[in-house]
C-alpha cells in the first residue's frame, strides 16, 4: 500500500510515493483510478482542457497529481509567452496559469469532497505537471487556506518571478521540494524573469542526491553534456527528463538506505 509518512520535513519515502503518482497520472483515467483503488485510495480523474490531474484520498491523506506534457495542447501551453499577474501572486507563467484555472473548480470540489479538513494534503507533478502543482498549491493556500503538507515536483520548469517566489515561501514555508536530474534541460527554462525557489533535490548521473549544487552550475553541466554530442539531443532529452528515471533513482536511494 502507498503510505505517506506523517512528517513536515523532507522524506525520501514520500518523494517515492509522489513520484509514483506523478508517473501514474500519464495513464488513462481507468488505469489511474484502478491503480489508486488497488492502493487503498478513492480517486477522481479530470481532463479540463486536456490538462489531466487526479485527486486521490484515503483515511489520512489527499494526493493531487498533475500530468506533464503529452499533447499538442500541452506544448502550446508550455510555449505560451508572457506572464500573468491576475492571481495576485507576482508574475506567473501565463500558459500554466490558464491551465490551472480551467480545472480549478473541479480541483477544489474534489478536495472538498475528499475531506475532512484534518487530512494531510500532498501535491505533485512532473514537467508541466510540476509547474501546475506549484501554481495550484499557491492558490489553494492563498484562496482556500488549504496548506499542503508537502509539494514534490520532478523535472519542473521555472514558474514565476522573484515576487512569486517570495510569496510562495511565505504561504508554504519549507513545504516545497523540487527534484532535478543532472542533464534534464527542463528545469533550466524558461529564463528571466522566471526563477527557481524551494528546496532543490539534485540527482547526479550516479543517482546520488544533493541539495548543494547551485542552479547556475546545473545549467552549465546540462548544456555541456549536450554540446558533447548535439545529435543525441532528442533521446538524451527523453531519457533524462523522463519521470521513470526520477522514480528509478529515488527508489534506488531508498533501497540503499535500507541496507
Amino acid at each position: 500500500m502507498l503510505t505517506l509518512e506523517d512528517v513536515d520535513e523532507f522524506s525520501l519515502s514520500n518523494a517515492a510515493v509522489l513520484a509514483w503518482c506523478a508517473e501514474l497520472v500519464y495513464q488513462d483515467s481507468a488505469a489511474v483510478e484502478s491503480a489508486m483503488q488497488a492502493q487503498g485510495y478513492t480517486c477522481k480523474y479530470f481532463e479540463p482542457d486536456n490538462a489531466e490531474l487526479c485527486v486521490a484520498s484515503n483515511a489520512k491523506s489527499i494526493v493531487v497529481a498533475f500530468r506533464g506534457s503529452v499533447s499538442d495542447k500541452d506544448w502550446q501551453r508550455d510555449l505560451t509567452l508572457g506572464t500573468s499577474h491576475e492571481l495576485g501572486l507576482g508574475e506567473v507563467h501565463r500558459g500554466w496559469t490558464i491551465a490551472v484555472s480551467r480545472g480549478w473548480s473541479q480541483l477544489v470540489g474534489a478536495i472538498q469532497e475528499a475531506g475532512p479538513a484534518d487530512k494531510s494534503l500532498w501535491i505533485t507533478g512532473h514537467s508541466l505537471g510540476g509547474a501546475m502543482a506549484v501554481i495550484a498549491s499557491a492558490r489553494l493556500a492563498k484562496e482556500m487556506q488549504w496548506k499542503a503538507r508537502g509539494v514534490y515536483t520532478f523535472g519542473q520548469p521555472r514558474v514565476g518571478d522573484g515576487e512569486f517566489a517570495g510569496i510562495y515561501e511565505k504561504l508554504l514555508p519549507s513545504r516545497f521540494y523540487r527534484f532535478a536530474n543532472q542533464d534534464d534541460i527542463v528545469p533550466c527554462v524558461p529564463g528571466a524573469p522566471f526563477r527557481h525557489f524551494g528546496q532543490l533535490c539534485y540527482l547526479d548521473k550516479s543517482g546520488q542526491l544533493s541539495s548543494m549544487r547551485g542552479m547556475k552550475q546545473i545549467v552549465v553541466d546540462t548544456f555541456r553534456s549536450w554540446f558533447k554530442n548535439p545529435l543525441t539531443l532528442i533521446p538524451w532529452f527523453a531519457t533524462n527528463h523522463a519521470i521513470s528515471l526520477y522514480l528509478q533513482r529515488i527508489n534506488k536511494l531508498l533501497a540503499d538506505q535500507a541496507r
Side-chain angles (χ1 to χ4, degrees):
M1 290 290 180
L2 290 179
T3 303
L4 287 157
E5 291 183 333
D6 187 25
V7 295
D8 291 321
E9 65 272 13
F10 173 78
S11 163
L12 191 61
S13 175
N14 287 349
V17 170
L18 294 170
W20 182 86
C21 294
E23 181 180 52
L24 177 66
V25 79
Y26 277 93
Q27 299 185 36
D28 61 50
S29 59
V32 172
E33 291 172 355
S34 175
M36 292 304 295
Q37 287 166 6
Q39 295 296 329
Y41 286 76
T42 60
C43 178
K44 287 201 169 183
Y45 185 92
F46 304 102
E47 301 179 67
D49 194 32
N50 205 45
E52 281 83 349
L53 67 139
C54 77
V55 178
S57 63
N58 62 11
K60 295 182 178 180
S61 305
I62 300 170
V63 177
V64 178
F66 291 89
R67 193 206 67 190
S69 301
V70 296
S71 69
D72 291 343
K73 276 193 175 182
D74 294 333
W75 292 109
Q76 287 169 12
R77 271 190 286 264
D78 295 341
L79 297 173
T80 298
L81 300 177
T83 59
S84 169
H85 206 286
E86 66 187 63
L87 302 178
L89 293 166
E91 297 292 336
V92 184
H93 187 284
R94 182 169 174 269
W96 304 330
T97 298
I98 293 170
V100 171
S101 294
R102 286 180 175 165
W104 184 249
S105 61
Q106 291 171 297
L107 172 61
V108 170
I111 294 174
Q112 287 174 327
E113 188 176 331
D118 61 352
K119 288 185 180 180
S120 58
L121 175 63
W122 304 86
I123 304 178
T124 189
H126 166 252
S127 192
L128 160 68
M132 293 175 67
V134 172
I135 296 170
S137 60
R139 287 192 62 181
L140 289 169
K142 179 176 183 283
E143 298 175 26
M144 307 301 297
Q145 289 73 56
W146 295 340
K147 296 196 174 186
R149 192 74 180 272
V151 179
Y152 286 70
T153 67
F154 309 90
Q156 167 228 311
R158 299 183 182 103
V159 176
D161 67 356
E163 182 183 2
F164 176 66
I167 292 172
Y168 193 99
E169 295 284 12
K170 289 179 180 178
L171 287 170
L172 294 165
S174 303
R175 305 284 183 95
F176 173 33
Y177 305 96
R178 54 182 183 85
F179 282 76
N181 273 331
Q182 183 172 346
D183 296 345
D184 183 352
I185 197 171
V186 173
C188 302
V189 297
F194 300 93
R195 54 159 291 186
H196 273 307
F197 55 94
Q199 176 63 60
L200 171 63
C201 304
Y202 180 72
L203 292 163
D204 65 23
K205 281 186 175 180
S206 66
Q208 294 305 300
L209 183 63
S210 171
S211 60
M212 303 302 292
R213 206 161 179 80
M215 199 64 215
K216 182 177 179 181
Q217 188 58 49
I218 292 173
V219 173
V220 171
D221 290 346
T222 298
F223 281 93
R224 182 181 291 135
S225 295
W226 175 45
F227 281 118
K228 284 180 181 178
N229 192 352
L231 295 179
T232 65
L233 174 60
I234 293 176
W236 169 81
F237 169 81
T239 299
N240 290 290
H241 184 56
I243 183 59
S244 58
L245 181 59
Y246 280 95
L247 182 56
Q248 174 188 322
R249 286 178 168 174
I250 293 168
N251 281 333
K252 184 178 183 300
L253 287 171
L254 274 176
D256 291 343
Q257 281 186 359
R259 288 175 186 162

